[in-house]
């Protein structure tokens, strides 16, 4: 990020920013005009509450209940905490669950900021093994848990973290069956530990929404304490920096709320009022309708530029949502921060996220995360060309 700021001309495929050109200037301006009209109450300019604006919680709860019929909007609203982006919800969740030395079960790859956060809190990560499709493998997890019982690591597992819709970084989603099998394996191993489901990209599908229900309504997760986190930054006005968590465990939620109170006594009340207005008048949904084809076209532009790499043994799956491509380099080609590839990309003026940052140790260093959200289409094509030129030079054969 610092390099990108310091070196103009450097094209960043690394930053997980949203598309600047389509940010909802008009929707935010009209919400602000409404909230600041001379006859409007000044209350949104006053402090709010730790838990978050009731109006916003009710709108979000009704929205989630529409996506997952069967969930009770009343319960969702009461169990909801509005946060400064979903990042804060993740932090509060781990901070209130874990002590240094504890362990959290994660997918591989997973959201690298989450891994950094765990390490900052002195908490370790253990990877759920994956199958040939690259998805979490419940049967392999069962075997791993037996091993971790033997080593004493199973006793230190405090939570499981899933990025289950168009994941950052893999772009993959977990189907309901696989998500339920994971719960069954944990339960059979006597590990009914809290689950944190991070649904940051759930609404950023390009065509149809992913059909899997969240852990909140899947029966196999019923007895687990659950926290479901979603962001309002990626689908709408990123800079308003709001997110939320629904937590069905009252004690855990109150602990998080308490800590949040110490940090900030509630997220920006005004920002919440703006988002509530946009959710209520349909602008939020119109914005989503607007950005979905934009991100799909950007994905296509980057994939087209990268296509020559397929003949050189590079592989990736086409994501149906989210903001990222997850590339596997041919075996033997290193992609980590101090690799020749990374240095040569920097020289060539293109930045990527080394995939080993997204993997719990010991990490394989042959993956690359590329974000197609920030750059305009022509710059994406140029960034892709620069990456391909370097990768072709360094890929044997
Ligand atoms: C998987 C995932 N979770 C959570 C976040 C946090 O986002 P925010 O704090 O903007 O809601 C991000 C941001 O990139 C993310 O990729």
């Amino acid at each position: 990020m610092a390099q990108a700021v310091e070196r103009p001309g450097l094209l960043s495929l690394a930053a997980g920013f949203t598309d600047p050109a389509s940010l909802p200037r008009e929707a935010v301006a009209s919400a602000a005009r409404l909230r600041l009209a001379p006859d409007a109450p000044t209350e949104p300019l006053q402090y709010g509450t730790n838990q978050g604006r009731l109006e916003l919680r009710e709108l979000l709860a009704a929205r989630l209940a529409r996506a997952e019929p069967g969930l009770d909007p009343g319960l969702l609203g009461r169990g909801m905490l509005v946060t400064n982006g979903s990042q804060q919800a993740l932090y509060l969740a781990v901070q209130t669950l874990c002590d240094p030395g504890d362990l959290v079960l994660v997918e591989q790859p997973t959201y690298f900021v989450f891994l950094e956060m765990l390490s900052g809190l002195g908490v370790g990560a253990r990877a759920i093994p994956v199958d040939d499709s690259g998805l979490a493998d419940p049967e392999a997890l069962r075997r791993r848990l037996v091993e971790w019982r033997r080593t004493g690591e199973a006793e230190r597992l405090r939570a499981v973290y899933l990025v289950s819709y168009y994941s950052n970084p893999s772009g993959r989603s977990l189907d309901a069956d696989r998500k339920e099998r994971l719960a069954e394996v944990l339960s059979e191993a006597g590990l009914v530990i809290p689950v944190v489901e991070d649904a940051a990209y759930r609404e950023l599908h390009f065509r149809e929404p992913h059909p899997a229900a969240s852990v909140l309504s899947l029966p196999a997760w019923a007895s687990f304490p659950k926290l479901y986190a979603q962001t309002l930054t990626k689908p709408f006005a990123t800079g308003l920096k709001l997110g939320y968590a629904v937590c069905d465990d009252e004690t855990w939620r109150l602990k998080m709320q308490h800590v949040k109170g110490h940090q900030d006594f509630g997220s920006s009340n005004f920002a919440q009022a703006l988002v509530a207005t946009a959710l209520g008048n349909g602008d939020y949904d119109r914005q989503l309708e607007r950005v979905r084809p934009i991100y799909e076209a950007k994905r296509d532009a980057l994939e087209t530029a990268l296509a020559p790499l397929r003949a050189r043994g590079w592989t990736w799956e086409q994501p149906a949502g989210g903001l990222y491509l997850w590339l596997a380099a041919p075996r033997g080609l290193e992609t980590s921060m101090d690799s020749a590839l990374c240095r040569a990309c920097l020289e060539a003026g293109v930045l990527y996220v080394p995939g080993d940052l997204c993997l719990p140790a010991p990490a394989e260093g042959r993956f690359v995360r590329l974000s197609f959200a920030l750059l305009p289409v022509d710059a994406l094509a140029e960034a892709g060309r620069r990456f391909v030129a370097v990768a072709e030079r360094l890929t044997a054969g």
Side-chain angles (χ1 to χ4, degrees), residues 20-308:
S22 58
L23 285 169
R25 194 196 325 247
E26 202 28 64
V28 174
S30 95
R33 276 195 298 277
L34 204 89
R35 293 293 187 171
L36 298 174
D39 55 347
T42 55
E43 168 277 329
L45 293 176
Q46 185 53 272
Y47 281 133
T49 60
N50 277 351
Q51 189 173 3
R53 219 176 150 78
L54 181 62
E55 172 198 21
L56 178 62
R57 284 189 281 125
E58 284 176 351
L59 283 159
L60 290 170
R63 187 174 181 83
L64 195 50
R66 278 196 300 279
E68 290 189 45
L71 286 177
D72 171 4
L75 270 179
L76 292 175
R78 278 198 295 285
M80 189 179 289
L81 184 62
V82 179
T83 50
N84 300 327
S86 50
Q87 189 62 41
Q88 187 184 36
L90 300 178
Y91 188 86
L92 292 172
V94 176
Q95 196 194 16
T96 51
L97 286 176
C98 298
D99 290 317
D102 287 344
L103 298 172
V104 173
L105 206 49
V106 300
E107 293 159 285
Q108 49 178 345
T110 189
Y111 174 39
F112 70 92
V113 181
F114 187 81
L115 286 179
E116 278 174 10
M117 183 185 88
L118 290 184
S119 126
L121 287 167
V123 175
R126 288 294 177 273
I128 303 172
V130 291
D131 63 16
D132 292 342
S133 68
L135 288 166
D137 180 345
E139 289 318 308
L141 174 63
R142 183 194 303 284
R143 293 190 292 276
R144 200 56 64 82
L145 287 173
V146 172
E147 204 178 302
W148 286 337
R149 277 276 176 233
R150 221 182 32 247
T151 59
E153 286 157 291
E155 284 68 32
R156 289 158 57 206
L157 287 171
R158 291 290 169 270
V160 51
Y161 171 66
L162 303 173
V163 188
S164 37
Y165 300 91
Y166 318 111
S167 163
N168 174 6
S170 74
R172 297 181 184 119
S173 305
L174 286 176
D175 63 32
D177 198 44
R178 196 179 285 263
K179 238 191 272 186
E180 291 219 278
R181 292 290 303 129
L182 289 172
E184 285 159 11
V185 166
L186 286 170
S187 201
E188 283 157 24
L191 285 167
V192 182
I193 53 179
V195 55
V196 175
E197 181 167 35
D198 180 345
Y201 300 91
R202 186 176 189 178
E203 294 193 315
L204 280 178
H205 48 83
F206 303 144
R207 302 288 169 102
E208 296 306 309
H210 193 273
S214 75
V215 296
L216 291 174
S217 50
L218 288 173
W221 288 100
S223 56
F224 288 72
K226 295 175 277 298
L227 181 137
Y228 171 89
Q230 206 163 334
T231 185
L232 302 166
T233 67
K234 304 281 182 182
F236 191 62
T238 313
L240 292 179
K241 202 63 180 88
L242 293 175
Y244 68 94
V246 173
C247 180
D248 69 350
D249 182 302
E250 179 81 355
T251 312
W252 182 15
R253 180 179 61 75
L254 288 175
K255 267 194 204 162
M256 290 191 286
Q257 208 168 298
H258 202 65
V259 176
K260 181 169 165 60
H262 294 160
Q263 292 179 350
D264 58 21
F265 20 97
S267 295
S268 157
N269 196 25
F270 187 61
Q272 292 183 68
L274 297 183
V275 174
T277 303
L279 280 165
N281 68 15
D283 277 347
Y284 192 93
D285 279 313
R286 277 186 285 281
Q287 174 65 11
L288 271 168
E289 292 303 324
R290 185 166 159 234
V291 295
R292 284 180 182 131
I294 292 176
Y295 287 131
E296 188 179 22
K298 287 188 162 203
R299 174 204 65 189
D300 290 346
L302 185 57
E303 275 206 279
T304 304
L306 296 174

Side-chain angles (χ1 to χ4, degrees), residues 59 161 273 316 374 387:
L59 283 159
Y161 171 66
W316 64 90
L374 173 66
F387 185 82

